[in-house]
Amino acid sequence: ALKNLGSSDGTLNGRLLNIQVFYNSGTYTPTAGTKKVIVEMVGGGGGSAGSRAAASGQISVGGAGGAGSYAKGQFTQNFSGVQITVGTKGAGGTSSGPYASDGGTSSFGSLITAAGGSAGQPAGPTNSFPFSTVAAVVSAGANGANIIGTPGQGASASIAVSAAVVIESPGGSSQFGAGGFITAFNAKGVNGSGYGSGGGPSKVNGGSAAVAGGDGSQGLVIVWEYA
């Protein structure tokens, strides 16, 4: 026999009612009839470091930023009127101040959170080779993710092998965006794409001015509403 999945009012239990996507922080108001929500989110991506000005024969480098954590959880109570925070993007370092900032944490009240990505770090200028930045480590994890939760992808250190060769990695990629890619000498770091990805690396060689790093991309919160 077929199992009756309908409720007494004829509504199909478990039916997807609506999907609310939050690009900005705000208050969650459930669609009428919502009995359960599945919340999916990513924290903001970390910015990449800028590269300081370098004299002739020197190199300076700015490491890539890491991606924000990913979290997915299911909740059947205490979700109405919850405050949603969308993690801010990590700012890339500037030509006057190379240090970048971490991405912000995304959250759905206190029920579930996803940490932001780690900022990249600068190194140099110097003509003492090899030298490297400190890698952007994987982000802190996710809390309340009773379906799945993963830390955000980090980014490898930028390694200056010689005055002409730098080994770099792109920014960390998230489930919703690719990290900023590797660019040429003396060019600004590339911003992360989509949501939750890290900014791309930068590098400056002899006699060139400082350049800025790339911004990470902001977080995202998606609420799937079910009857």
Side-chain angles (χ1 to χ4, degrees), residues 108-141:
F108 184 75
S110 60
L111 295 175
I112 185 169
T113 63
S118 301
Q121 300 295 320
T126 183
N127 58 3
S128 178
F129 303 106
F131 73 95
S132 71
T133 66
V134 176
V137 298
V138 297
S139 67

Side-chain angles (χ1 to χ4, degrees), residues 41-44 85-88 104-108 112-116 218-221:
M41 64 176 61
V42 66
T85 300
V86 174
T88 55
T105 296
S106 291
S107 63
F108 184 75
I112 185 169
T113 63
Q218 69 168 58
L220 183 71
V221 177

Side-chain angles (χ1 to χ4, degrees), residues 168 180-190 200-203:
E168 302 165 283
F181 56 82
I182 298 168
T183 191
F185 273 104
N186 309 317
K188 177 187 179 299
V190 177
S202 63
K203 54 186 178 287

Side-chain angles (χ1 to χ4, degrees), residues 83-102:
Q83 178 66 34
I84 288 177
T85 300
V86 174
T88 55
K89 67 180 182 180
T94 67
S95 56
S96 59
Y99 289 94
S101 60
D102 295 339

